Amino acid sequence: VPGGFGMTATTDILEALARGGGPAKALLALGYSGWGPGQLEAEIAKAKVEEEKIYAAFRPAAVEDLARDPKALAIGERLFLNNCAACHGSDAKGSKGFPNLTDTDWLHGGSPEKISETLHAGRNGMMPPMAAAVGGPEEVRQVANYVLSLSGSGHNSILAELGKDKFKAACATCHGADGKGMQALGAPNLTDKIWLHGWGEEAIVRMINNGKVNVMPAQAGRLTEDQIKVLTAYVWGLSRPTQTA
């Protein structure tokens, strides 16, 4: 305790304060100190037994069925808030650099199997800097405008036309010749007006010049297999019409 401060667990100070005496400033903290030897361990063990009963009932169920089970969804929501909301938001709608989990735009696939795979192993998304493959600054602008044109976003049509062949030569390997992406590579769809890292010519030029690395940490080891299954059901259900059993 720093100098100038004192601590006590006796009732003397309480009696003094009640009589108007004691220190001029005091902080009262109430707690329960009646724990016996092994009591904490016993409480934890008891909680684990109750938790096991809950998850045992979930194990035979398919993820799709758990996504309609109110009890499983309530647990999944708590798991999400404690482990995922810091990046994806409490409403799961994400933010710049963090995907929205409530729409149908999935970088790696939105099936229960793919979501479970993502939760278990995490993801390491990487787009390398592509400016050298595209050309100089003007060529980069041309490709950026072509990318904007793919989704019908505002763009310079002359620059876009000039960037079309450059896109196919430098970008189509990952994003596809039609720009619709490849989930096997985690390459985003560029035709749907969903911009994870920012929209507009400037943002796309920056991506082409600098590339981007995005990491989602693996949850295996932090969460149990049972927890990951329930969390998978919760996340899978976020982008589907609300249905409960």
Side-chain angles (χ1 to χ4, degrees), residues 16-238:
L17 289 170
R19 294 193 300 268
K25 294 182 179 180
L27 176 65
L28 177 64
L30 297 178
Y32 175 66
S33 60
W35 289 77
Q39 185 175 350
L40 175 60
E41 291 78 7
E43 293 287 342
I44 293 173
K46 181 180 177 182
K48 285 187 175 297
V49 170
E50 295 303 314
E51 182 183 81
E52 169 60 23
K53 291 178 183 177
I54 294 171
Y55 283 112
F58 294 155
R59 285 181 197 131
V63 167
E64 294 87 344
D65 294 328
L66 290 179
R68 295 188 291 269
D69 184 320
K71 191 171 185 179
L73 288 178
I75 294 173
E77 181 179 28
R78 289 197 293 273
L79 288 169
F80 182 88
L81 292 173
N82 288 335
N83 298 280
C84 314
C87 293
H88 293 284
S90 59
D91 59 1
K93 291 186 177 180
S95 60
K96 187 176 180 180
F98 301 102
N100 181 351
L101 303 178
T102 68
D103 59 20
T104 57
D105 186 68
W106 295 93
L107 290 174
H108 298 275
S111 67
E113 294 76 17
K114 280 296 178 182
I115 295 171
S116 178
E117 179 183 294
T118 298
L119 288 171
H120 273 94
R123 295 291 182 186
N124 192 344
M126 192 273 287
M127 172 181 158
M130 297 300 294
V134 169
E138 189 59 24
E139 286 76 18
V140 169
R141 286 190 63 219
Q142 292 167 6
V143 171
N145 276 273
Y146 178 70
V147 169
L148 288 167
S149 76
L150 291 171
S151 60
S153 301
H155 63 280
N156 181 310
S157 59
I158 296 175
L159 292 180
E161 185 60 31
L162 292 170
K164 183 176 181 178
D165 289 340
K166 296 179 181 67
F167 175 89
K168 291 181 178 180
C171 312
T173 301
C174 294
H175 293 284
D178 57 3
K180 291 187 176 180
M182 293 186 186
Q183 290 184 346
L185 300 175
N189 182 353
L190 304 176
T191 71
D192 58 8
K193 290 188 178 181
I194 295 176
W195 304 97
L196 183 59
H197 299 288
W199 172 87
E201 180 183 317
E202 182 180 343
I204 297 172
V205 165
R206 187 163 54 248
M207 284 288 291
I208 296 171
N209 284 330
N210 302 327
K212 177 66 70 172
V213 175
N214 245 26
V215 176
M216 175 186 152
Q219 301 302 306
R222 299 184 68 251
L223 301 177
T224 66
E225 289 295 315
D226 290 326
Q227 289 173 326
I228 288 177
K229 182 177 181 180
V230 172
L231 182 55
T232 295
Y234 177 77
V235 172
W236 182 79
L238 287 171

